[in-house]
Amino acid sequence: MATNKAWKVEQSESCKSTVNPLRALTDTQQITNPSLSVINLSIGDPTIYGNFKTHEYVNQVLADQITTFKYNGYAPSIGYEDARKAVAELYTAPEAPLTSKDIILANGASGALEIAIMSLCNPGDNMLIPLPAFSLYECIAASAHIDVLRYKLLPEKNWEADIEHMKSLINSKTKCILVNNPSNPCGSVYTAAHLKEILAVADEYKIPIIADEIYADMTFSGYPFHMMAHLTSSVPIISVGGISKRYLVPGWRLGWIIVQDKNNILKDVTIGMTKRSQLILGPNTLVQSILPRILKETPQEFYDQTNTTLAEHSKFTYEKISAIHGLKPVLAQGAMYQMVELEVSKLNGIADDLDFQRKLLAEQSVFILPGCIFGLKNFFRIVITATIPKLTEAYQRMSDFCEKYKK
């Protein structure tokens, strides 16, 4: 029987709650100066300007695999056995032994984070994340009605966590502490001593840690990377990593979860993560197929050169930004980012970091990300992977802009 009912089809509540402020800003059309070419320093993609390229061996191995026709079908949802074994062999240590059973492959580190968070938390639970933090953490949590509580990072201490503040946030609904090291957006690299301070909190309150270690080993001279799981015998760690940054192939979308659980505390959660992996049937099989070879056979000089170049860009950025009126950078130690404090009191007509970002883009066509995207007002993030000539031009435009608004 016909009715007079009108059509009304709406997005789900989960979709309504899903907002990634970083992508909302970078994926939309922004007002720029038409007389100047846009210099994009906003997205953490090292491939944009063509100066950071994966090693030719990695490309060749992939090309060779295509012609075998062996990897055009489905793999197990948690990933091929030999690929998972290769990850385990790369990160195993006497104090934290691993096998392929401890590895789940995912659709990039972002997919790995979603699996980990959704396997630990229920709607109404909460998780601790840094302040500032990569915006995807809150995006994933909000989509599942999981609350985030932000523990402060201290710029005056190279973005170390405020341990007492972290403790003050923990309650009966807290299901995990997320630690990002090396850091996006801060470019900080934690010492073993500081990581042990965080581990002591997790141990005291019996809360597992999600360690976002996608920038593992992408550090500058004098700032070694320490895997959290290698520093504890009691705290269960879900480590997230992948090939996107270290191998300079973010579009290949291959990440992983490493379950570091010496005392079998995460047995049930690991079952849950396996179930979550079955939602998308695992990551790209062709890229999985080359993982054992590229992890074992990519020349060390490729990694070293990448880190050396990033360190040079970081130093250049720090020196140039330090000389600009109203801007105060915090020295980076790794990854591919520079956080800068915006001294609003020294600038006329600039209300805050978002106002700075919009006016800088509109007048000088330089695209940076405001700190509010990461939860921290009156800071902004620069991605340092553009070429030195591009960075030089960007920082000159930034200097001209700040001189215009100088008090």
Side-chain angles (χ1 to χ4, degrees):
M1 180 181 292
T3 70
N4 292 323
K5 185 178 179 180
W7 282 93
K8 186 178 181 181
V9 183
E10 297 180 334
Q11 63 178 295
S12 68
E13 290 302 317
S14 176
C15 287
K16 290 178 182 177
S17 300
T18 303
V19 178
N20 186 332
L22 191 158
R23 284 294 175 178
L25 184 66
T26 60
D27 289 356
T28 55
Q29 186 68 36
Q30 302 286 316
I31 298 173
T32 63
N33 184 337
S35 67
L36 293 171
S37 61
V38 175
I39 302 178
N40 192 339
L41 307 180
S42 67
I43 293 294
D45 181 348
T47 70
I48 289 177
Y49 290 100
N51 52 322
F52 283 91
K53 298 177 181 178
T54 195
H55 194 275
E56 58 184 12
Y57 173 76
V58 176
N59 275 346
Q60 188 58 55
V61 171
L62 184 66
D64 291 344
Q65 290 294 74
I66 291 174
T67 59
T68 69
F69 297 96
K70 292 181 179 179
Y71 301 99
N72 295 335
Y74 293 119
S77 64
I78 59 174
Y80 287 127
E81 165 70 20
D82 59 346
R84 291 184 290 116
K85 181 181 178 183
V87 175
E89 290 176 348
L90 180 64
Y91 290 107
T92 194
E95 63 273 23
L98 294 169
T99 71
S100 61
K101 294 180 180 180
D102 301 310
I103 312 299
I104 297 172
L105 299 187
N107 183 35
S110 299
L113 284 165
E114 182 179 28
I115 290 172
I117 292 169
M118 300 291 278
S119 299
L120 283 168
C121 302
N122 290 309
D125 289 336
N126 68 68
M127 58 184 287
L128 271 55
I129 69 171
L131 173 64
F134 181 42
S135 60
L136 186 68
Y137 307 148
E138 185 170 12
C139 179
I140 293 170
S143 72
H145 304 288
I146 299 162
D147 296 325
V148 297
L149 305 177
R150 296 172 176 270
Y151 62 89
K152 297 175 185 176
L153 304 185
L154 305 171
E156 67 274 17
K157 292 187 176 181
N158 290 109
W159 302 106
E160 287 190 351
D162 184 329
I163 297 297
E164 292 306 313
H165 186 241
M166 178 186 287
K167 287 182 178 181
S168 74
L169 298 174
I170 295 171
N171 58 43
S172 61
K173 291 285 189 177
T174 305
K175 294 303 171 74
C176 62
I177 301 171
L178 192 147
V179 180
N180 176 209
N181 177 58
S183 169
N184 172 15
C186 301
S188 56
V189 179
Y190 288 158
T191 63
H194 184 58
L195 290 171
K196 288 178 181 179
E197 289 184 301
I198 298 173
L199 287 165
V201 175
D203 201 16
E204 178 182 353
Y205 290 91
K206 302 299 181 280
I207 299 173
I209 285 177
I210 298 176
D212 181 356
E213 298 176 324
I214 185 61
Y215 295 97
D217 297 311
M218 294 184 72
T219 66
F220 309 151
S221 179
Y223 302 104
F225 167 72
H226 301 281
M227 199 168 192
M228 286 197 84
H230 295 177
L231 303 174
T232 179
S233 61
S234 57
V235 178
I237 309 285
I238 298 174
S239 174
V240 168
I243 65 171
S244 63
K245 308 300 184 181
R246 197 167 188 228
Y247 287 84
L248 308 176
V249 287
W252 289 14
R253 311 310 302 140
L254 180 59
W256 52 71
I257 289 169
I258 304 175
V259 183
Q260 306 261 17
D261 185 25
K262 303 174 183 70
N263 302 306
N264 214 27
I265 297 166
L266 296 178
K267 181 179 179 181
D268 190 53
V269 172
T270 302
I271 293 172
M273 289 193 290
T274 299
K275 291 178 180 178
R276 294 290 309 185
S277 75
Q278 294 166 354
L279 286 175
I280 63 166
L281 301 181
N284 184 290
T285 53
L286 186 61
V287 180
Q288 283 189 58
S289 75
I290 70 170
L291 196 57
R293 291 178 66 182
I294 68 172
L295 292 185
K296 295 175 183 177
E297 299 171 13
T298 303
Q300 181 62 40
E301 55 263 29
F302 165 71
Y303 310 119
D304 294 342
Q305 183 57 55
T306 299
N307 286 356
T308 297
T309 303
L310 286 170
E312 291 170 352
H313 285 217
S314 177
K315 180 182 178 182
F316 179 80
T317 296
Y318 181 81
E319 291 174 350
K320 291 294 184 181
I321 298 299
S322 294
I324 298 176
H325 177 82
L327 304 185
K328 186 179 177 182
V330 180
L331 185 66
Q333 301 164 324
M336 55 180 67
Y337 308 105
Q338 174 67 65
M339 278 292 272
V340 181
E341 183 178 359
L342 178 65
E343 298 180 302
V344 177
S345 64
K346 296 183 178 181
L347 298 169
N348 270 318
I350 301 295
D352 54 25
D353 55 297
L354 185 58
D355 190 36
F356 179 88
Q357 181 269 331
R358 288 172 174 167
K359 288 177 177 175
L360 178 66
L361 184 59
E363 297 180 25
Q364 295 289 345
S365 292
V366 175
F367 197 173
I368 49 87
L369 286 185
C372 60
I373 292 289
F374 309 102
L376 187 61
K377 188 175 181 179
N378 291 336
F379 277 79
F380 63 89
R381 189 194 76 174
I382 296 171
V383 179
I384 62 171
T385 53
T387 63
I388 290 295
K390 282 289 183 184
L391 293 177
T392 300
E393 183 177 355
Y395 301 152
Q396 184 58 56
R397 292 188 197 177
M398 206 175 291
S399 178
D400 293 343
F401 178 85
C402 289
E403 283 299 313
K404 174 184 175 181
Y405 288 92
K406 181 178 180 180
K407 276 190 178 179

